[in-house]
């Protein structure tokens, strides 16, 4: 352990994700296990600027591993995007004796972590987002729970859709990324899967597909539409007008961000959280933790933010073939 690191902070930022609590618990307990004190920052960077800072001990993270959301709360904070806000945040860390910070969140939160690091506070990022849109890691905390929640909801919509011989458009979250849509599209056996990264806005092709499937005797037609494409309700109206088949849109919304985390989310959040605490206590800064091919990795935040992530081509091609 570095001589310098006596106290670390932990915060959750951006959209909450199931498994964040497991990550907080791991950070707290792994740091305390090596003699480092931990402070919890409430409501992300906003809570830091408002000095909403509490002492954490091993008991403050008891009975949370199974809970969705984040016990620390989360927020989006415009002030922290400014250099003034970042300086103020770093000064507050120094005031509370916080030598290092673990930031659990998505790409936006990493930019905040990068800024905090530049202001002299050692900072490590952990990938917490249901969207899976962080390039340096195969896995993000919350994705597994979100796709399972969405998959189960889509199965239910499919039941009623088949009974009424309707076409259903189901919109899933993911901001500008199509990973939730791809995974659910395949796992729910959707007839069409629309991803922001791939969609050509050829609605006529979807209409032709619906008509041809109906002629083949299919009783339902499931379209998984990604949030990044959106407009599911107007799409449903146009499809119904063009096909004469009743078409309904269901926007799954925030239910995808809640609920008890899956085993995978709890496990990886725990392992990555512990690793983040370790490297922070070793004195590392400006790093993000991830999993690649089942192995723990950490990267410089600047490098991580410059990496690109694409929908895997083979998986996308398979999704199209299987939906025939
Ligand atoms: P996520 O972390 O899930 O991608 P956001 O993009 O909303 O979510 O980012 C979360 C928060 O991180 C923002 O509200 C802001 O406080 C901080 N943040 C985002 N971008 C920057 C930036 N360029 N510099 C500093 N802080 C940032
Ligand atoms: O990043 C997670 C996420 O749920 C996205 O899928 C979605 O676009 C966004 O957050 C919604 O954010 P908000 O809570 O600000 O509506």
């Amino acid at each position: 352990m570095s001589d310098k690191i006596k106290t670390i902070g932990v915060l959750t930022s951006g959209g909450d994700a199931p498994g964040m609590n497991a990550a907080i618990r791991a950070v707290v307990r792994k740091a305390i296990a090596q003699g480092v004190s931990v402070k919890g920052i409430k409501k992300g960077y906003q809570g830091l600027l408002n000095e909403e800072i509490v002492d954490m001990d091993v008991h403050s993270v008891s009975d949370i591993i199974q809970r969705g959301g984040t016990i620390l709360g989360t927020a989006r904070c415009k002030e922290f995007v400014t250099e003034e806000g970042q300086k103020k945040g770093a000064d507050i860390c120094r005031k509370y004796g916080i030598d290092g910070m673990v930031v659990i969140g998505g790409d936006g939160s990493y930019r905040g972590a990068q800024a905090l690091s530049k202001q002299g506070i050692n900072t490590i990022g952990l990938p917490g987002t249901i969207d899976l849109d962080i390039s340096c890691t195969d896995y993000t905390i919350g994705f597994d729970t979100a796709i399972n929640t969405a998959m189960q909801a889509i199965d239910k919509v499919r039941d009623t859709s088949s009974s009424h011989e309707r076409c259903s458009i189901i919109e899933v979250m993911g901001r500008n990324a199509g990973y939730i849509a791809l995974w659910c599209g395949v796992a729910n056996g959707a007839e069409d899967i629309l991803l922001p990264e791939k969609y050509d806005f050829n609605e006529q092709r979807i209409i032709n597909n619906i008509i041809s499937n109906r002629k083949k005797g299919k009783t339902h037609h499931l379209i998984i539409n990604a949030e990044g494409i959106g407009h599911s309700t107007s799409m449903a109206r146009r499809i119904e007008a063009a096909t004469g088949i009743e078409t309904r849109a269901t926007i799954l919304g925030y239910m995808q961000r809640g609920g008890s985390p899956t085993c995978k989310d709890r496990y990886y959040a725990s392992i990555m959280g512990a690793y983040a605490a370790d490297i922070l206590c070793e004195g590392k800064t400006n790093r993000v933790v991830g999993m690649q091919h089942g192995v723990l990795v950490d990267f410089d935040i600047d490098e991580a933010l410059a990496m690109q992530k694409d929908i895997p081509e083979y998986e996308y091609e398979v999704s199209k073939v299987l939906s025939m």
Side-chain angles (χ1 to χ4, degrees):
M1 190 183 85
S2 153
D3 290 343
K4 280 182 268 172
I5 304 292
K6 301 270 188 299
T7 301
I8 65 166
V10 56
L11 63 81
T12 48
S13 168
D16 65 338
M20 279 184 166
N21 284 329
I24 295 166
R25 173 179 176 269
V27 169
V28 170
R29 293 199 168 162
K30 194 69 169 73
I32 288 174
Q34 46 200 299
V36 172
S37 304
V38 187
K39 292 190 189 290
I41 319 301
K42 300 221 160 175
K43 300 177 205 157
Y45 297 115
Q46 191 60 59
L48 176 63
L49 298 184
N50 294 343
E51 301 188 36
E52 295 185 61
I53 298 171
V54 294
D55 290 329
M56 307 285 282
D57 61 25
V58 289
H59 302 300
S60 41
V61 290
S62 294
D63 197 27
I64 65 166
I65 196 164
Q66 77 285 11
R67 283 201 242 155
T70 156
I71 58 155
L72 290 174
T74 185
R76 307 203 198 264
C77 172
K78 284 194 183 138
E79 193 184 346
F80 204 76
V81 180
T82 66
E83 204 178 336
E84 207 186 346
Q86 295 154 10
K87 275 196 177 118
K88 183 176 164 192
D91 286 342
I92 292 168
C93 286
R94 283 184 274 270
K95 176 175 163 189
Y96 283 80
I98 296 170
D99 314 302
M101 185 76 80
V102 176
V103 170
I104 309 168
D107 269 353
S109 303
Y110 285 1
R111 293 188 194 282
Q114 187 183 39
L116 208 49
S117 191
K118 285 205 178 98
Q119 295 294 335
I121 304 299
N122 286 4
T123 307
I124 306 292
L126 270 181
T129 170
I130 63 166
D131 302 339
L132 195 72
D133 60 348
I134 298 182
S135 308
C136 67
T137 180
D138 300 337
Y139 163 80
T140 62
I141 297 165
F143 176 72
D144 191 57
T145 307
I147 51 173
N148 278 287
T149 301
M151 181 189 75
Q152 284 163 19
I154 294 165
D155 280 345
K156 293 182 172 81
V157 177
R158 183 187 179 126
D159 287 345
T160 174
S161 193
S162 299
S163 305
H164 287 265
E165 301 197 359
R166 283 175 178 156
C167 169
S168 277
I169 303 176
I170 302 173
E171 189 173 308
V172 295
M173 271 188 166
R175 205 181 294 223
N176 299 318
Y179 298 100
I180 298 178
L182 176 66
W183 277 66
C184 289
V186 171
N188 289 101
E191 277 67 31
D192 282 291
I193 307 169
L194 312 183
L195 312 179
E197 298 87 344
K198 301 285 183 186
Y199 187 45
D200 58 4
F201 292 89
N202 184 353
E203 218 163 85
Q204 192 56 48
R205 188 196 55 74
I206 301 171
I207 289 164
N208 296 344
N209 199 18
I210 295 168
I211 293 170
S212 122
N213 277 340
R214 190 48 62 102
K215 282 186 187 148
K216 283 188 225 155
K218 275 204 178 186
T219 52
H220 66 268
H221 191 103
L222 217 57
I223 301 169
I224 305 299
N225 186 29
E227 177 189 15
I229 296 168
H231 302 288
S232 297
T233 306
S234 52
M235 199 186 284
R237 270 199 298 271
R238 287 193 298 272
I239 287 176
E240 180 166 313
T243 60
I245 295 167
E246 265 192 320
T247 304
R248 298 286 158 87
T250 304
I251 297 166
L252 292 186
Y254 292 103
M255 65 179 298
Q256 296 160 93
R257 272 208 331 226
S260 179
T262 59
C263 182
K264 186 171 178 180
D265 274 331
R266 296 181 200 191
Y267 183 82
Y268 279 130
S270 298
I271 302 301
M272 292 198 303
Y275 187 71
D278 278 348
I279 63 175
L280 189 56
C281 293
E282 275 168 24
K284 286 195 183 175
T285 187
N286 205 48
R287 311 287 298 173
V288 290
V289 173
M291 297 291 304
Q292 283 188 345
H293 313 294
V295 176
L296 272 168
V297 289
D298 61 284
F299 293 97
D300 181 85
I301 297 188
D302 305 28
E303 275 173 36
L305 286 172
M307 290 177 190
Q308 295 292 320
K309 187 170 192 169
D310 295 315
I311 294 287
E313 204 52 46
Y314 180 76
E315 292 168 39
Y316 177 62
E317 288 306 319
V318 168
S319 77
K320 287 195 290 187
V321 173
L322 300 188
S323 64
M324 68 173 54

